[in-house]
Amino acid sequence: MELYYSFSALIVLASIFAYLNYRFLKLPSTIGIMVIAIVVSIFLVMFGETVLPRTFGHLNNLMESIDFTEILMGAMLNFLLFAGGIHININDLKEQFRPVLIFSTVGVVISTFVVGFGMFYLLPYLGVNLPFIYCLVFGALISPTDPVAVLSVLKQAKVSKSLETKVAGESLFNDGMAVVVFTVVLQLAVGKEVDLGVESIGLLLLKEAGGGILLGVLLGWVTSRLMREVDDYIISVLVTLSVVMGGYLIARQMHISGPLTMVAAGLFMGNFNRSFKMKSVTQDYLIKFWELIDEILNAVLFLFIGFELLMIKDLKHFMIPGVLAIAVVLFARFISIWGPTKFTSLRRSFSPQTVKVLVWGGIRGGVSIALAMSIPKSEYSEIILSITYCVVVFSIIVQGLTIAKVANPNKIAKEEEEQENIALEEKA
C-alpha cells in the first residue's frame, strides 16, 4: 500500500501543478510542472523546516521512499519508450538510418570521452578533484539524449519531418550504447575487473542492444498477428500493455536492454498495425490510450525531476561546477555531432543550421539522473549527482523552451536545398 500512497500523492501534485501551469505560467506542460516543482523544492529547502515543517518532512520522506532509478528504468521508461516508438513511421526512420545509427553509437562514445577529459582538466581550477575514471562515468551517463524529454519537447518545436526523425531516432536508440559504456566505466571505477578487449565489449553490446531489438521485434510480430485476428479495442489495449509489462520482465531475465526492447516493439507494432485495416474505433482508442499514458507518466516524471532537488543536500556548493559541466556537455555534444557529419559522407545532408538544431536539441533528462543515482555511495557520487542535476535542469528548461526558436524551418529548408545543389554540381 505504501507504493500506492506514494503514487497517489505524485498524481495529485502533478495535476495541481499542471493546472497552475495551464492557468498562469502557460509553459509546455511537462516543463511547467518541473519548474513549479523546482520552485517549491527551493522554497522548502530554504524555509521548509521553519515555515512548513510537516510538509517539508512529508515530501522528504516521500522522495526518500521512492527508488527513482528502479521506478524510471524499470517501469516508467518502458511505457514512455513504447508510446514514443509506436508513433514513429518506420519509413521515415529508414531514410535517416545512417545518421541515427552513427549518432547513437559513435556519437555517444565521442561525447563520453570529450566530457571526461574536459571535466578532468577543468574541475581542478574550481577546487574540485574528481578522478579521471569518475569523470568518464559522468561523461557516460550524461552523453545519451533523453528520449522522454526529447519527444516531449519536439511536440512543441515545429521542425521538419526529417530533422524530427534524426533527433527522435537518436534519442530512442542511444540508450543501448550508453548503458554498455556506463556499465563498463562504472565497474572500472568501483574496482571490479573488466575485460576491455574489443571482442568482450562488442559481445556485451551485441547482447544488450542486439538482443533487446531482436526481442522487441519478436514480441511486436507475435502480438501484432494476434491483434489482427481479434480487431477489438479492449483486447488491443490489453495486448499492448502485456507487451510492455511482460516484455520488460523477459528482457530483465535475459539480461538484455529493456528500453531497446520497448522501442523495437513499439516501432514494429505501430507500423505493422497501419498495414492492415484496423477498425477506426479500435485504432482511435489505441492511439488515445497511449497518448494519455504518455502524458500522465511524463507529468509524473518531470515532477520527480523537480523534487529530486530535495535529495541533493549541498547543491549550492556545486553550482559553479554545474555551470562548467553545462558548457562542457554542450561542447561535447557539438563535437559528437559535428565530427561525424564533417568527416563522413553525411556532410552533404547536414547543413550548419541542422547541426545547430541537433546540438541544441540534445536534451538530457530523467535517464541521466537515474544513472547518476545508481552510482554506489562514495565521496564522488554526490558531486556527480549534483552536476548531473544542473545539466538536466538547464537542458530541459533553457534548451527545451528555446529549441523552437533555434529550429528555423525556413532557414533549414533553404540550407538543405543549397546542399543538394552543391551535391548535384559535384556529380556533374
Side-chain angles (χ1 to χ4, degrees), residues 7 36 71 87 126 129 143 204 218 275 289 302 334 340 345 358 360 366 389 395 415 420 422:
F7 194 72
I36 296 172
I71 290 290
H87 291 112
L126 302 178
N129 292 306
S143 290
L204 180 62
L218 180 62
S275 65
F289 173 80
F302 280 74
F334 171 74
S345 58
L358 284 167
W360 200 245
Y389 191 81
S395 182
E415 288 186 353
E420 286 177 9
I422 292 170

Side-chain angles (χ1 to χ4, degrees), residues 225-240:
R225 299 294 300 185
L226 293 174
M227 289 168 64
R228 189 171 184 172
E229 299 299 325
V230 184
D231 195 356
D232 178 86
Y233 73 89
I234 295 176
I235 295 175
S236 295
V237 167
L238 286 172
V239 166
T240 52

Side-chain angles (χ1 to χ4, degrees), residues 11-38:
I11 288 290
V12 170
L13 287 170
S15 62
I16 293 171
F17 290 178
Y19 177 81
L20 292 173
N21 173 66
Y22 184 83
R23 285 294 308 275
F24 304 108
L25 294 184
K26 302 191 185 304
L27 296 172
S29 179
T30 50
I31 296 177
I33 289 170
M34 192 185 81
V35 168
I36 296 172
I38 289 173

